[in-house]
Amino acid sequence: MTPQSGRDLAKAALEAARAKAQSRKTPLGKRPATGTRQDPRRRRWSGPGADSRDPQPLGRIVSRIAVERGWNGRLASGQVFGHWARLVGEEVAEHAQPVALKDGELTVRASSTAWATQLRLLQGQLLGKIAAGVGNGVVKRMRIQGPTAPSWRKGPRHVSGRGPRDTYG
């Protein structure tokens, strides 16, 4: 058998394709009827409509990943800390800071005992504002603490009693 040139191979391939098209009764270059070649819902070209392969906004991708991996709760609790001033208002945020959020209980430390009392009175309104900002169920209750007093206890050993404070009169 003599070796065929590239031109001869191309002619043979074209003739084979024409014969196959004739057996299917489809002219060469025309699309076959739907369902005969591939699934019509899956197309190989991109058209003017929306497609899952189109570039997506970063926020939409991050939201989808957070839902798939179950990070929504942690992200919502992070928003409480990150957007505290926007959620509760500038004046309250100036005198109170969130400390911890665990099992739906938000611990807030106030700058003074007067502000701690005020926050306890405003607790229902603050919970409503937080729920409107980050979603229901993220913060279910609040624990409000006053300012922490300085500790007189220094070092690993401690003797019970008044200690150095008894010299103050």
Side-chain angles (χ1 to χ4, degrees):
M1 182 167 195
T2 63
Q4 295 180 341
S5 68
R7 183 180 227 175
D8 294 332
L9 288 173
K11 279 185 180 180
L14 181 60
E15 287 176 19
R18 284 184 179 153
K20 189 172 182 180
Q22 290 243 340
S23 70
R24 289 188 306 191
K25 295 186 171 89
T26 307
L28 194 63
K30 299 282 186 178
R31 276 185 75 190
T34 55
T36 58
R37 203 171 106 199
Q38 72 181 45
D39 188 4
R41 291 174 292 174
R42 179 160 189 240
R43 59 183 191 207
R44 295 177 185 242
W45 66 92
S46 180
D51 191 1
S52 62
R53 298 172 293 168
D54 289 342
Q56 302 292 318
L58 182 63
R60 187 179 302 160
I61 293 170
V62 170
S63 296
R64 190 180 74 229
I65 290 171
V67 168
E68 288 172 358
R69 298 191 179 183
W71 294 344
N72 276 349
R74 287 186 177 181
L75 289 175
S77 65
Q79 284 184 346
V80 171
F81 290 91
H83 301 293
W84 176 250
R86 182 180 55 85
L87 291 173
V88 298
E90 291 294 330
E91 187 178 5
V92 173
E94 191 175 318
H95 297 284
Q97 291 298 318
V99 177
L101 177 60
K102 186 174 181 183
D103 298 329
E105 182 176 70
L106 178 66
T107 304
V108 178
R109 178 158 297 130
S111 61
S112 66
T113 54
W115 267 101
T117 304
Q118 184 69 18
L119 290 175
R120 287 185 189 104
L121 294 173
L122 294 173
Q123 187 171 358
Q125 293 174 5
L126 293 176
L127 286 172
K129 287 181 178 181
I130 293 170
V134 296
N136 287 331
V138 176
V139 177
K140 298 173 187 165
R141 58 194 170 279
M142 291 176 70
R143 175 183 290 171
I144 299 166
Q145 299 175 340
T148 56
S151 173
W152 290 98
R153 189 173 180 171
K154 309 278 191 254
R157 294 185 179 86
H158 176 69
V159 176
S160 61
R162 290 195 47 86
R165 292 178 298 269
D166 61 0
T167 60
Y168 291 143

